């Protein structure tokens, strides 16, 4: 099975209202606050340890038969002074957290221990219909296991 690691666009940082459940290891984000510094139009984004997607990608994933996506959650978004200055006219589409719970070698989407997204060729072909122009996509060796 050919796998691909995706390093999506990183549009900012964790906002001050991000909350964690520290009773688990690794800590689990219970409330995600994305502080946007800029947006280059990507449909798939990440601010470690959270992946998130535009409404367009969410709808596509929900209608697909791809495995490994548990669901989606609302997120809190704020605009930094940087984005207000550099992109004053930017209007973000609705954006949702993507809950990836897949298992490597079984599902189309999974997350490896350093919070990077790994997808199958089938998932990568599906994602080609969306804007991933600012994402780094790396083919992994077939025997690579995390």
């Amino acid at each position: 099975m050919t796998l691909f690691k995706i390093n999506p666009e990183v549009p900012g940082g964790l906002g001050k209202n991000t909350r964690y459940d520290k009773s688990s290891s690794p800590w689990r984000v219970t409330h995600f606050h994305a502080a946007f510094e800029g947006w280059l139009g990507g449909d798939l984004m990440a601010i470690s340890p959270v992946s998130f997607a535009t409404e367009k990608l969410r709808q596509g994933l929900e209608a697909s038969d791809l495995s490994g996506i548990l669901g989606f959650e609302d997120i809190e978004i704020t605009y930094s002074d940087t984005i207000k200055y550099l992109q004053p006219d930017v209007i973000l589409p609705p954006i949702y957290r993507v809950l990836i719970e897949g298992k490597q070698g079984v599902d189309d989407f999974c997350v490896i221990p350093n919070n990077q997204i790994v997808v199958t060729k089938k998932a990568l072909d599906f994602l080609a219909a969306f804007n991933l122009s600012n994402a780094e996509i790396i083919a992994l060796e077939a025997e690579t296991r995390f």
Side-chain angles (χ1 to χ4, degrees):
M1 174 185 297
T2 304
L3 299 175
F4 299 86
K5 181 170 59 171
I6 300 178
N7 297 320
E9 176 180 339
V10 179
L14 293 173
K16 65 181 179 182
N17 296 330
T18 298
R19 301 287 179 260
Y20 298 90
D21 172 1
K22 297 179 182 178
S23 67
S24 63
S25 182
W27 294 354
R28 191 175 69 78
V29 175
T30 57
H31 175 81
F32 178 56
H33 172 199
F36 271 73
E37 297 283 331
W39 183 52
L40 300 174
D43 285 310
L44 180 64
M45 297 160 274
I47 299 172
S48 189
V50 176
S51 301
F52 47 106
T54 61
E55 173 73 17
K56 177 182 172 184
L57 180 52
R58 174 190 175 169
Q59 288 176 354
L61 287 167
E62 288 177 332
S64 78
D65 66 346
L66 296 170
S67 62
I69 304 289
L70 181 65
F72 300 87
E73 290 181 348
D74 291 334
I75 65 173
E76 178 181 349
I77 294 174
T78 54
Y79 293 78
S80 71
D81 289 339
T82 303
I83 195 171
K84 291 176 187 175
Y85 178 74
L86 295 176
Q87 295 179 288
D89 298 327
V90 73
I91 298 173
L92 295 172
I95 296 175
Y96 300 90
R97 180 177 180 183
V98 182
L99 302 172
I100 302 172
E101 298 280 333
K103 303 242 183 297
Q104 184 182 349
V106 176
D107 293 302
D108 295 304
F109 284 82
C110 71
V111 175
I112 59 177
N114 60 358
N115 295 310
Q116 290 180 310
I117 301 166
V118 173
V119 300
T120 61
K121 176 77 166 97
K122 177 182 174 183
L124 187 64
D125 290 345
F126 167 84
L127 291 170
F130 298 89
N131 185 348
L132 296 182
S133 61
N134 296 295
E136 178 184 35
I137 300 170
I138 302 165
L140 301 173
E141 297 296 326
E143 64 276 357
T144 302
R145 294 294 173 252
F146 304 98

